[in-house]
Amino acid sequence: MTNKKQKISNQELADQIDDYKFGFKTNHQAKFDTGVGLNEEVIRKISAHKNEPEWMLNNRLKALRIFNEKPLPNWGGNLKEIEFEKIHYYMQPADKQNKDWEEVPKEIKNTFDKLGIPQAERKYLAGVGAQFESEMVYHNLQETLAKKGVLFEGTDAALQKYPEFFKEYFGKVIPARDNKFAALNTAVWSGGSFIYVPKGVYIELPLQAYFRINAEFMGQFERTLIIADEGSSVHYVEGCTAPTYSSQSLHSAVVEVICKKGAKVQYTTIQNWSNNVYNLVTKRARCDENATMFWLDCNLGSRLTMKYPSVYLMGRGSKAEILSVAFAGKGQHQDAGAKVIHAAPDTSSTITAKSLSKDGGRSTYRGLQQVLPGATGVKSRVVCDALLLDDHSRSDTYPTMDVQENDASMAHEATVTKISEDQLFYLQSRGFSEAEAGALIVNGFIDPIVKILPMEYALEMNKLIEMEMSRSVG
Amino acid sequence: MLSIKNLSVSINDEKILENFNLEIKKGETHIIMGPNGSGKSTLCYAIMGHPKYKITSGKIEFNGQNILEMPTDERARAGLFLAFQYPKEVPGITFGNFLRQSSNVKLKESGEKVLSPMEYFKIAKELIEKVDLDKSMIGRGVNEGFSGGEKKRAEIVQMAALKPKLSLIDEIDSGLDIDSLKKVAQSIEEIKSETGMSTILITHYQRLLNYMNFDFIHIMKNGKIVKTGGKELVEDLEKNGYQNF
């Protein structure tokens, strides 16, 4: 995300990266580690190490029992190969969370430098968090926003400082019982961002957090809680990468967003995990009267992603917009989608899902549009487009509609397109190489989504797509 | 400039061209006419290297270079251009951006500085207005929702932008009204006189020839040239059709 990178020509870029660019490893000795595997003892260790209030420990233990009881989902992707007993559930990289970048341990700092994190902050962000393994190593917010009462902290630090918010909101939008991986996260959560935006405060620039897995067999379980008070507005962006290992890693986050009356929240994810990461994330927002939630979810990389950002429209006139892009390359399965539950009258939602499958990759759209009794005057629309880049890739669509009011206006459109030999030939006859031609078609396909990304992220997204396209072409 | 010797081409094991021969010198315009299914479009695709068209024997040299070994994009960068009878859509990529990027591929190839969107805007606007299209074309997806006439003119715009050494023009006149036809013919003539490009123009109809300068007409039938001549052939065809050949 640095400006430096923008000056590199396409050719140089193609030369440099014939593989996952963020796959480098950092030699780093953890300060504290609970070892491999998961049991009550591990949970007690994590909680004690974090010096948590007892209610949180009990919350964790209860969630562990739910995790153990619940079977693996028998839908979505293949979860049977996850070796839960080999995973490190907690790894502390540094002694404390820093506000000064210079105080972050050198090798961790170098990692984020390579990823362009601190430079990005100075240029176009209102605040930045950086998580390495299990903990936030850096968190900072513009002073002007802090003065207005905006809170932007690592979730662990926030639990210590503002327990009242946690008692009221933690686990309320996504209870541990929601699904097996929400239970896992609730049991072992660590890190993530906590954001509180006071009434009427409008944050212009995005807040960003960056998540990095470095160790082998690492499990990252960040927990993010965003509370946008009445009439406030915030845009939060998260980016994720990991080194390339032959062994697996597990990323299982929970994100809860509360949009109070008239609030607007945008949550943008640009995720580019290496191919060994299982990415099983639960994201959900609740909207009160006239509030707006906007999920923009870009899923690249990972071995398997199962993620369906959801919005519960609880107040009259509230709105949900969900845009999802998934790119499934060789050996990858992107099982992504969106859910909107209309629980109040005059609520509206739009879901746009675009998926690309290449080199045998598989992408799935799985979605839900639900209108509950009493929710009259609902409008909901789903547009689902899939692009197949070759014959041996795959795309499936599983839309579910459950409408319990007669006057709801519901729409679902789906298209599947395959890049044709004739289309490639047309572009090649203009001098574009096969890879450039493919990239053009792909860029055109995702253009409606890239167009609405902030400039810096649009550039980043285009670069990531270009990288995916230049990987094992032909 | 272009030398085709004993070329045989098949699609799905069906022989379309057989021992086809053609020589084109710099700056020459050759018209190819013939009934449907005589192999005219196949000739274009084979020269440009469409993967479906298998060359079973013979050779094609372009400026002394054997191009049969080259992928389509290399042939294009060497100076060949095909104006398609049915141009393809590229949704989401604007026509202006497409023009700029394809021009930049060429500039990069010759080691020149590539053009930014701002720098290219003026060029694109001029090229587009030259064929009587509105400049708003710049912002529309490539061939997306273009009318038949717009597609054909957009092909000519691309030809003007890329300044090829040799253009293959495949039935540019089909689906054009008489005014558009004149405009397109005039634009091709302008590009020819500006760049000295050679041209192979395929057409069904004599009327396009009223507005064009050309050196030879070839009549194709069953994958071969059966007759080569000049203007006098047009009148013959006008009277008797293809039956005499």
Side-chain angles (χ1 to χ4, degrees), chain A residues 43-44 46-47 50 52 55-65 156 159 183 185-190:
Chain A
I43 302 238
R44 285 182 191 281
I46 295 173
S47 189
K50 289 174 180 289
E52 283 181 348
W55 72 267
M56 186 56 86
L57 171 64
N58 290 335
N59 203 44
R60 287 177 182 276
L61 292 170
K62 204 168 91 191
L64 177 66
R65 285 193 290 275
D156 293 280
L159 172 64
N185 177 282
T186 308
V188 295
W189 74 270
S190 182

Side-chain angles (χ1 to χ4, degrees), chain B:
Chain B
M1 161 163 263
L2 183 75
S3 160
I4 304 174
K5 288 205 175 101
N6 297 322
L7 187 73
S8 297
V9 181
S10 305
I11 317 171
N12 302 328
D13 293 331
E14 192 194 338
K15 212 159 226 183
I16 309 288
L17 294 186
E18 203 167 357
N19 291 322
F20 184 94
N21 292 286
L22 187 64
E23 291 285 334
I24 293 181
K25 297 199 178 70
K26 190 171 183 323
E28 283 181 352
T29 298
H30 292 236
I31 310 293
I32 298 183
M33 301 183 76
N36 279 330
S38 57
K40 305 186 299 293
S41 290
T42 295
L43 176 66
C44 293
Y45 283 127
I47 296 172
M48 210 64 218
H50 192 295
K52 262 203 197 103
Y53 295 76
K54 298 275 175 280
I55 312 295
T56 53
S57 67
K59 61 180 181 182
I60 307 178
E61 280 184 1
F62 181 56
N63 285 331
Q65 209 178 356
N66 172 19
I67 60 168
L68 289 180
E69 300 298 315
M70 292 156 66
T72 299
D73 52 302
E74 273 180 40
R75 298 184 199 195
R77 294 199 296 273
L80 285 168
F81 181 87
L82 171 57
F84 283 65
Q85 188 182 358
Y86 304 109
K88 294 287 159 193
E89 291 183 5
V90 193
I93 298 296
T94 64
F95 187 59
N97 187 17
F98 182 67
L99 278 182
R100 180 177 73 88
Q101 292 209 41
S102 53
S103 302
N104 279 345
V105 164
K106 226 188 133 214
L107 290 174
K108 226 186 283 173
E109 181 92 351
S110 55
E112 287 171 65
K113 197 176 146 286
V114 299
L115 296 167
S116 71
M118 284 308 288
E119 290 169 317
Y120 198 77
F121 174 76
K122 224 183 119 212
I123 300 172
K125 183 173 167 285
E126 246 166 54
L127 291 172
I128 286 169
E129 287 178 343
K130 228 175 185 173
V131 294
D132 285 350
L133 286 173
D134 191 82
K135 64 172 187 296
S136 63
M137 189 69 128
I138 289 175
R140 294 168 65 188
V142 178
N143 294 317
E144 214 186 345
F146 287 16
S147 70
E150 284 174 334
K151 280 185 188 171
K152 297 298 172 77
R153 291 182 199 208
E155 292 292 288
I156 300 301
V157 171
Q158 293 176 56
M159 186 193 291
L162 294 175
K163 299 187 181 66
K165 296 191 177 91
L166 188 147
S167 279
L168 308 153
I169 305 173
D170 192 7
E171 296 203 22
I172 198 82
D173 47 353
S174 64
L176 288 186
D177 59 44
I178 191 74
D179 291 335
S180 304
L181 191 77
K182 272 190 202 166
K183 186 78 220 172
V184 162
Q186 186 196 332
S187 301
I188 295 172
E189 286 302 329
E190 276 172 27
I191 299 169
K192 275 161 63 178
S193 62
E194 266 171 41
T195 66
M197 80 174 174
S198 311
T199 308
I200 297 177
L201 186 135
I202 287 171
T203 179
H204 262 306
Y205 306 105
Q206 296 86 344
R207 58 176 193 176
L208 177 64
L209 304 182
N210 298 333
Y211 312 107
M212 297 219 27
N213 300 320
F214 55 90
D215 302 289
F216 300 97
I217 298 185
H218 308 282
I219 309 293
M220 254 183 101
K221 219 174 170 182
N222 299 324
K224 275 187 179 152
I225 290 176
V226 291
K227 175 99 185 169
T228 294
K231 269 216 156 76
E232 73 286 354
L233 265 183
V234 183
E235 286 148 37
D236 190 358
L237 274 175
E238 199 109 35
K239 279 192 206 119
N240 306 313
Y242 295 115
Q243 59 197 1
N244 293 347
F245 301 105

